[in-house]
Amino acid sequence: MSMRYDLKEGEATYRIYSLIRDGKFRDAIDILNFQVQINNKSRAALSLLAYCYYYLQDYVNASDCYEQLSNLYPDQDQYKLYYAQSLYKCGLNAEAMRISSQIESANYATQVLKLQAAIKYAEDDIKGCIEFVDRSSSSDDPGIEINKACILFKEDKVEAALERFKRAQKILGQKPEISYNIAVCHYRLRQYDVSLKHIADIIEKGIKEHPELSVGMQTDGIEVASVGNTLVLHESCLVEAFNLKAAIQFNLKNMNNAREALTDMPPRTEAELDPITLHNIAVMNMDEEPSSGFEKLQFLIQQNSFPFETFANLCFLYVKFGFYSLVADVLAENSHLTFKHLTPYEYEFMEAKIMQQTSPEEAYRKLEEMGVKQIDTLRKLTKEVQDVRKSSKEEAISRALKEYDENLELYIPILMAQASIYWDMQNYTAIEKLFRKSFEFCNDHDVWRLNAGHVLFMQENTKYKKAIEFYEPIVKKNYDNILNISPIVLANLCVTYVMSSLNEEAEELMRKIEREEDHAAMDNPERKFYHLCIVNLVIGTLYCAKGNYEFGISRVMKSLEPYQKKLGTDTWYYTKRCFLALFENMSKHLVLLKDSFVGEIIQFLTHCEMYGKDVKANVEMPMDPQPMHPGRNTVAYEARYLKWLLFEIIEY
């Protein structure tokens, strides 16, 4: 049923105000746009249209309307104020400051000063912000505590800011925006439990007071319409709370919980998403949807304002996926952002990674220089921690340890980047030597221990027992949540057990994985779990590599049962490698198989063909100029091809 826009005289006003009263701003906008087309100088229509756009947080269209009103009625300073506010919301800070400076009416002096303070805050001009805050706030203004707290937060004085926000909460009561700011302070202090408690309070209050915002319905699989960017949504701080919750879960490496927090927030269309939500969706779904993620991040850095981390995240994700030429292009094309959004450390690290592709020796030298600086800092901090411990002052000890940990986190990527250069050369002895040099600082760090284990594992027989010493503590640390450990780590540990004649330990670990997968499958029957399958595949691959193809291939085939649960892109990758190695040796007449075993292989490949029609055979790289043909990038296609190869070899 279409809405009539050509309303009779006198009917339009009643209809428009009724729609605004009922919160149907979209319908009101449709009627008002029709009215503006009839009379593009109508003050009432333009004013109401601007109000509706602003309420829906469509600040671009709101600023257009207020600009027209400012030009049509230059003596009305309220329109200039609203125009400046809309520009500020669009991220056009310089233009917003220019317009706000033209407002002369004393009636709006305080609002203008507060707006100008907000503009300076957004521009990181703390001195200018403080000046405007001092001029705009009276001693009895309850908002002064919040303003001062925000400034302290910007100055990285998080503890002092937290105290100010708590004081403001006592004065103003339990307001969602204050609770959110308190939660952010605890997040910055890495007090995640306390932060999550405040977030839970915001969400509980939002659900109770605004059930119409449909919190959590998307996660439950219920299709609901967009709630739009209304003032109610903004004031509830639900979007901000869910984004913060997602960030905490992301930092805790609980990726499923992080993604769930994003789907729990009130539903909106992609076009309605705010920059922070768009950024978080891109980053937290990058492993599953890299192309979409890169598109979102590229879109964001082209806007007037975007989350500060966006530029650095885009660059580092390009590095992670191996798009070094794209990193170089982004840095060159956005030099105005490079030095604003990247620290000198990040920029140097990025340069070294780009250089690694063409000149590994030069890249290693650059990383070595960075590493020496970090090692010197760590040595100084180690001495400082030792000195502070003698004083027995807990706060000072905590601060010193925090600074040490932060600098260690800066050193680890440098060390791993150096190791990756040797890894590409398969020079595992050099990596082992490199890791020994960093032992005094990194020996308790999980990333260091994990990669040390990998290096020892790659040296096979001579180092398997040593590899166990590095893998075991990581697995035992997460033994109660074993499915959170990477399957390849569990597989490598099982292999080292087997090769060190510790078969009982290997079997016990595999039984533990099987029990955990069974429990997880009961809670989430639709989800596929590949941990045990990959462990068996790696063990099967090991036997194939040793020439025992019959046992190895049997293990591989059994590991994929039941096919509908175990057949996936990762598991197929290991599977086809074993079969290709077998077929190569069969074609050279180096391996002979029993007819019965050949029949088992044919039956296995037939099952893979049957169940692999909708399973991708290879991970498609994002932004690939020549994407794979969808019909050929399936397990079914490759299984059928392998079967054809086998028939050719046995001359069937």
Side-chain angles (χ1 to χ4, degrees):
M1 184 175 174
S2 60
M3 180 173 288
R4 285 181 57 245
Y5 302 143
D6 55 335
L7 301 171
K8 295 177 183 176
E9 193 174 341
E11 187 182 343
T13 304
Y14 174 78
R15 172 62 74 83
I16 291 165
Y17 277 103
S18 296
L19 289 170
I20 292 173
R21 179 199 64 204
D22 296 338
K24 297 178 180 178
F25 295 98
R26 294 286 176 201
D27 292 339
I29 285 169
D30 290 340
I31 296 174
L32 288 164
N33 273 319
F34 184 81
Q35 298 297 318
V36 169
Q37 287 175 12
I38 297 170
N39 179 7
N40 62 5
K41 294 183 180 180
S42 169
R43 180 177 178 179
L46 281 170
S47 180
L48 286 170
L49 185 59
Y51 171 82
C52 290
Y53 278 133
Y54 197 92
Y55 190 94
L56 291 174
Q57 299 183 50
D58 184 350
Y59 301 117
V60 174
N61 280 317
S63 65
D64 288 343
C65 293
Y66 283 127
E67 183 181 17
Q68 290 181 61
L69 287 163
S70 299
N71 293 332
L72 289 169
Y73 306 98
D75 56 327
Q76 296 293 319
D77 280 348
Q78 61 176 329
Y79 293 135
K80 290 179 185 175
L81 175 62
Y82 300 151
Y83 179 32
Q85 287 174 338
S86 300
L87 290 169
Y88 161 68
K89 292 287 189 179
C90 291
L92 299 169
N93 295 323
E95 189 66 10
M97 182 62 83
R98 186 182 69 80
I99 298 297
S100 65
S101 300
Q102 298 173 7
I103 301 170
E104 298 175 354
S105 173
N107 295 333
Y108 301 109
T110 302
Q111 289 170 273
V112 169
L113 288 169
K114 286 182 176 179
L115 173 61
Q116 290 173 333
I119 293 168
K120 291 294 181 184
Y121 187 86
E123 293 176 334
D124 296 326
D125 182 355
I126 300 300
K127 189 177 177 182
C129 178
I130 291 171
E131 182 187 333
F132 283 116
V133 166
D134 290 341
R135 286 169 58 192
S136 68
S137 303
S138 57
S139 57
D140 59 343
D141 182 0
I144 194 168
E145 287 293 341
I146 296 174
N147 293 335
K148 297 279 187 181
C150 290
I151 291 167
L152 287 167
F153 186 86
K154 182 76 90 169
E155 292 176 323
D156 210 24
K157 298 173 182 175
V158 183
E159 280 123 338
L162 179 58
E163 291 306 312
R164 285 271 189 179
F165 281 127
K166 286 180 178 177
R167 215 175 301 161
Q169 194 172 52
K170 286 179 182 176
I171 298 168
L172 299 169
Q174 295 286 337
K175 290 185 174 292
E177 63 270 22
I178 301 176
S179 296
Y180 171 71
N181 285 325
I182 290 171
V184 171
C185 288
H186 286 297
Y187 166 76
R188 282 287 296 274
L189 295 169
R190 298 186 183 178
Q191 297 166 353
Y192 295 145
D193 289 343
V194 185
S195 184
L196 286 168
K197 182 182 177 301
H198 286 284
I199 291 167
D201 291 341
I202 296 168
I203 294 170
E204 186 180 344
K205 182 180 173 69
I207 293 171
K208 186 177 178 181
E209 294 182 359
H210 304 289
E212 74 278 5
L213 293 178
S214 306
V215 169
M217 289 192 179
Q218 278 183 308
T219 303
D220 294 337
I222 302 169
E223 287 191 23
V224 283
S226 165
V227 298
N229 285 313
T230 63
L231 190 60
V232 170
L233 179 62
H234 176 67
E235 289 176 347
S236 71
C237 285
L238 282 169
V239 169
E240 292 83 352
F242 279 116
N243 272 316
L244 184 56
K245 183 179 179 181
I248 291 171
Q249 296 297 346
F250 182 83
N251 287 352
L252 294 172
K253 298 185 172 28
N254 298 328
M255 294 307 300
N256 289 331
N257 292 345
R259 284 190 281 266
E260 189 175 299
L262 294 176
T263 55
D264 275 346
M265 68 172 61
R268 293 171 294 167
T269 63
E270 188 167 280
E272 293 171 332
L273 295 178
D274 57 283
I276 293 174
T277 303
L278 196 65
H279 167 271
N280 289 347
I281 289 172
V283 171
M284 293 177 197
N285 292 285
M286 189 59 76
D287 288 338
E288 287 76 18
E289 301 175 28
S291 296
S292 175
F294 282 124
E295 284 174 15
K296 289 178 175 68
L297 295 175
Q298 279 279 16
F299 168 79
L300 284 169
I301 67 167
Q302 292 165 15
Q303 306 309 303
N304 293 315
S305 63
F306 51 84
F308 188 85
E309 300 82 2
T310 308
F311 187 76
N313 283 342
L314 176 61
C315 292
F316 279 111
L317 284 165
Y318 275 148
V319 168
K320 178 185 173 182
F321 281 83
F323 299 135
Y324 298 103
S325 60
L326 290 177
V327 184
D329 291 344
V330 167
L331 293 175
E333 292 167 8
N334 300 279
S335 55
H336 62 295
L337 298 175
T338 299
F339 299 104
K340 181 181 178 183
H341 292 267
L342 293 178
T343 63
Y345 163 86
E346 289 171 336
Y347 183 72
E348 284 181 51
F349 184 81
M350 209 83 67
E351 269 194 327
K353 290 300 292 181
I354 294 168
M355 201 182 294
Q356 184 179 334
Q357 309 315 303
T358 53
S359 178
E361 297 83 3
E362 187 63 24
Y364 190 90
R365 186 192 60 76
K366 191 174 186 65
L367 290 165
E368 183 69 18
E369 289 174 3
M370 293 178 70
V372 168
K373 289 179 190 174
Q374 288 301 134
I375 287 287
D376 288 343
T377 305
L378 287 170
R379 285 209 170 92
K380 288 174 188 173
L381 290 170
T382 301
K383 187 176 183 305
E384 190 179 316
V385 169
Q386 290 169 349
D387 293 341
V388 169
R389 275 188 170 142
K390 292 174 186 175
S391 68
S392 301
K393 293 180 181 177
E394 287 188 17
E395 190 177 335
I397 294 169
S398 176
R399 193 180 298 113
L401 286 170
K402 182 184 174 186
E403 191 176 354
Y404 178 88
D405 288 342
E406 286 172 354
N407 278 275
L408 180 59
E409 290 301 325
L410 293 175
Y411 176 60
I412 288 290
I414 297 169
L415 180 66
M416 295 307 145
Q418 287 178 290
S420 73
I421 294 171
Y422 285 130
W423 184 276
D424 292 341
M425 300 174 184
Q426 298 185 3
N427 190 347
Y428 305 118
T429 308
I431 303 175
E432 196 176 344
K433 185 180 175 183
L434 181 68
F435 279 12
R436 278 203 204 100
K437 285 167 59 180
S438 59
F439 179 82
E440 67 173 298
F441 301 109
C442 307
N443 66 306
D444 289 328
H445 199 286
D446 281 352
V447 172
W448 185 89
R449 296 189 69 85
L450 177 64
N451 285 285
H454 289 335
V455 171
L456 293 166
F457 180 86
M458 292 303 292
Q459 294 175 69
E460 298 186 346
N461 298 337
T462 57
K463 302 289 176 71
Y464 278 138
K465 285 188 177 177
K466 285 187 179 179
I468 291 172
E469 294 174 17
F470 288 93
Y471 284 138
E472 254 187 354
I474 294 169
V475 172
K476 286 180 178 177
K477 184 179 176 182
N478 299 281
Y479 201 69
D480 292 335
N481 297 298
I482 205 163
L483 297 185
N484 289 339
I485 303 171
S486 169
I488 203 64
V489 174
L490 298 172
N492 285 0
L493 180 56
C494 279
V495 168
T496 55
Y497 280 148
V498 171
M499 299 307 293
S500 304
S501 301
L502 299 170
N503 294 334
E504 287 184 17
E505 284 83 348
E507 288 173 11
E508 176 54 36
L509 180 59
M510 292 172 74
R511 281 195 293 269
K512 169 68 175 174
I513 297 168
E514 187 174 11
R515 286 196 300 271
E516 291 296 318
E517 283 194 351
D518 289 343
H519 289 149
M522 287 173 66
D523 296 334
N524 194 348
E526 299 299 318
R527 189 178 165 196
K528 292 183 178 182
F529 297 94
Y530 298 122
H531 283 65
L532 186 61
C533 178
I534 289 176
V535 169
N536 279 311
L537 283 168
V538 171
I539 293 172
T541 303
L542 175 70
Y543 280 100
C544 290
K546 300 292 182 185
N548 189 347
Y549 281 102
E550 192 159 337
F551 182 81
I553 292 291
S554 295
R555 186 115 193 185
V556 166
M557 292 192 295
K558 285 176 183 174
S559 70
L560 287 181
E561 296 174 1
Y563 299 97
Q564 62 270 30
K565 291 286 185 182
K566 301 298 181 183
L567 193 58
T569 305
D570 290 337
T571 55
W572 179 247
Y573 170 77
Y574 291 103
T575 303
K576 66 185 176 186
R577 288 177 70 197
C578 293
F579 278 101
L580 286 168
L582 170 64
F583 293 169
E584 182 182 1
N585 282 288
M586 286 175 68
S587 66
K588 294 175 181 176
H589 303 288
L590 298 174
V591 174
L592 291 173
L593 300 178
K594 297 174 186 174
D595 289 347
S596 59
F597 191 62
V598 171
E600 287 177 32
I601 292 174
I602 293 168
Q603 188 179 22
F604 169 77
L605 292 172
T606 302
H607 283 137
C608 289
E609 185 182 347
M610 188 186 308
Y611 290 99
K613 292 176 183 176
D614 298 319
V615 180
K616 286 188 177 181
N618 302 282
V619 176
E620 293 183 72
M621 292 302 288
M623 297 174 292
D624 192 338
Q626 293 182 323
M628 299 181 70
H629 190 287
R632 293 185 176 184
N633 189 25
T634 64
V635 170
Y637 175 84
E638 291 194 354
R640 191 161 55 246
Y641 192 82
L642 285 173
K643 197 160 60 170
W644 174 79
L645 281 175
L646 179 59
F647 288 154
E648 286 288 304
I649 293 166
I650 63 175
E651 298 179 353
Y652 181 72

